[in-house]
Amino acid sequence: MDELTLLRNTRDDSREPSPTALAAGRAALLGHIADGDATHAVAQQQKKRLWLPRLTWAAAGVAATMTCVLVAGNVSLSAQSAYASDVLRSAATQTIQYADLVAGSDQFLRSRTHARWGICDNSGCEPNDQILDVYMPADPGAEWTLYRDWGSMRGVLTSESIETIRAVDGQFYGPDSSWVNVDYADIPLDGIAAYEWINAQYNGGSASRDEDNFVRITDILRSGLVPAPQRAALLDALSRIPGVSATDNVANLDGVTGIAIGRNEMLRAGQRQEIIIDPDTGLVTGERAMSGATVFGWGLNEEMSLTAIETTVVDTAP
């Protein structure tokens, strides 16, 4: 629905190497073997035979050192995933105790997203700030409202940069574009069952099955409107996706800090997608994307996009 679909780094140096560092180590190893850069070697590996250097004692020492680094990296990944699992399951427990905001009969639950997404063309990308206010009525079956400020872009349904759209079920851009793309009642309330429910829906999309599961869970959570029991189950389900890790004290676009939960997708050159959560409520307070390589003008491990998400009760909608 947004530009982000088209297309850590608060670091604690006392911890083990990050997934990004591990990926860089792998690339360096490939470069050493091929006597060229890793990207070129991967691109050409089916066109020419890679001749390995003769194994001397010195070369054997280098290989043994690199093997130790990779082993240490795998241990690091396991440790990071274990930490993320602890964070997510603790947040799920806390979420159950959180009293959700509830709109009165004449009120609305408003989810506000302040987003900084990139506008990209052949020359690269530049940031563009948007505001998306979604008003869900007390009766979810009634008409919802979207107020959207596209920033320097033009709206989908109008030629103006600001648009207000009303639609049942939050289907602002048609029946396949609901702001809430699932019936919350369908989400199992047990974490294992919620993971299996998501995993069973995989139909071959995304770069990998794990990425697809991660994106579909976080797409539900980022709406800002998921009730606490279902939110807790989805957080638990996230902890069961391989490669998920956590970063403490990450600020959203409005400066509110939380814990970033994310994963690096090696099939997208290590790009990292994250949601930022409040561990006390399980609410998603923002999203972040980090580059895994130099691409579209971004350097390695730079912030490609950032949002802030806030949910409140309001008396009126535009």
Side-chain angles (χ1 to χ4, degrees):
M1 177 177 170
D2 51 55
E3 296 84 348
L4 185 58
T5 61
L6 299 177
L7 288 164
R8 180 172 231 200
N9 180 17
T10 302
R11 173 174 293 181
D12 183 350
D13 289 328
S14 66
R15 293 185 179 177
E16 299 285 352
S18 68
T20 302
L22 178 58
R26 286 174 176 154
L29 179 58
L30 286 173
H32 176 77
I33 293 173
D35 195 24
D37 68 82
T39 302
H40 180 73
V42 171
Q44 297 296 319
Q45 63 183 345
Q46 294 182 355
K47 295 183 179 181
K48 69 176 182 179
R49 182 177 178 182
L50 296 181
W51 291 96
L52 300 181
R54 188 175 68 173
L55 184 62
T56 64
W57 287 112
V62 170
T65 300
M66 291 302 295
T67 299
C68 289
V69 170
L70 293 178
V71 170
N74 287 330
V75 172
S76 173
L77 283 173
S78 297
Q80 291 175 26
S81 294
Y83 175 63
S85 293
D86 288 345
V87 168
L88 284 164
R89 293 175 189 179
S90 175
T93 300
Q94 291 294 106
T95 297
I96 292 297
Q97 304 173 39
Y98 175 73
D100 282 323
L101 298 173
V102 177
S105 58
D106 296 321
Q107 294 180 313
F108 299 85
L109 197 58
R110 184 189 71 178
S111 174
R112 161 165 286 192
T113 300
H114 176 199
R116 182 165 295 157
W117 291 318
I119 303 176
C120 301
D121 57 25
N122 292 333
S123 63
C125 300
E126 61 180 27
N128 177 54
D129 279 25
Q130 295 190 28
I131 296 292
L132 297 89
D133 287 341
V134 174
Y135 298 79
M136 185 179 77
D139 175 10
E143 195 173 63
W144 296 37
T145 301
L146 167 67
Y147 167 87
R148 184 166 189 168
D149 182 343
W150 287 84
S152 59
M153 299 177 64
R154 292 291 176 261
V156 171
L157 302 183
T158 83
S159 60
E160 304 298 323
S161 63
I162 295 177
E163 61 185 8
T164 301
I165 308 171
R166 295 177 178 82
V168 174
D169 291 334
Q171 296 179 353
F172 302 118
Y173 298 103
D176 297 324
S177 66
S178 176
W179 183 256
V180 178
N181 54 9
V182 66
D183 186 338
Y184 296 141
D186 292 340
I187 302 174
L189 301 184
D190 172 77
I192 296 176
Y195 172 78
E196 292 174 345
W197 173 74
I198 283 286
N199 191 49
Q201 298 174 33
Y202 180 68
N203 61 2
S206 299
S208 68
R209 190 185 195 106
D210 292 334
E211 179 191 59
D212 193 71
N213 288 341
F214 181 87
V215 169
R216 284 186 290 116
I217 291 175
T218 55
D219 276 353
I220 298 170
L221 289 170
R222 71 172 178 161
S223 70
L225 303 171
V226 185
Q230 288 85 353
R231 193 163 70 246
L234 290 175
L235 290 171
D236 189 292
L238 272 183
S239 74
R240 302 174 190 280
I241 297 176
V244 170
S245 55
T247 309
D248 296 329
N249 299 316
V250 173
N252 69 10
L253 186 53
D254 292 340
V256 179
T257 60
I259 300 177
I261 304 296
R263 65 181 302 279
N264 297 72
E265 179 51 64
M266 292 302 104
L267 295 179
R268 297 190 190 277
Q271 182 174 320
R272 181 175 179 82
Q273 298 286 346
E274 297 177 330
I275 54 171
I276 305 169
I277 67 169
D278 179 340
D280 294 328
T281 65
L283 286 169
V284 174
T285 59
E287 291 182 287
R288 187 171 72 157
M290 306 293 290
S291 61
T294 300
V295 61
F296 293 123
W298 283 292
L300 176 64
N301 212 31
E302 286 190 359
E303 199 171 78
M304 302 172 68
S305 65
L306 185 65
T307 75
I309 300 170
E310 180 185 30
T311 304
T312 56
V313 173
V314 297
D315 294 328
T316 60

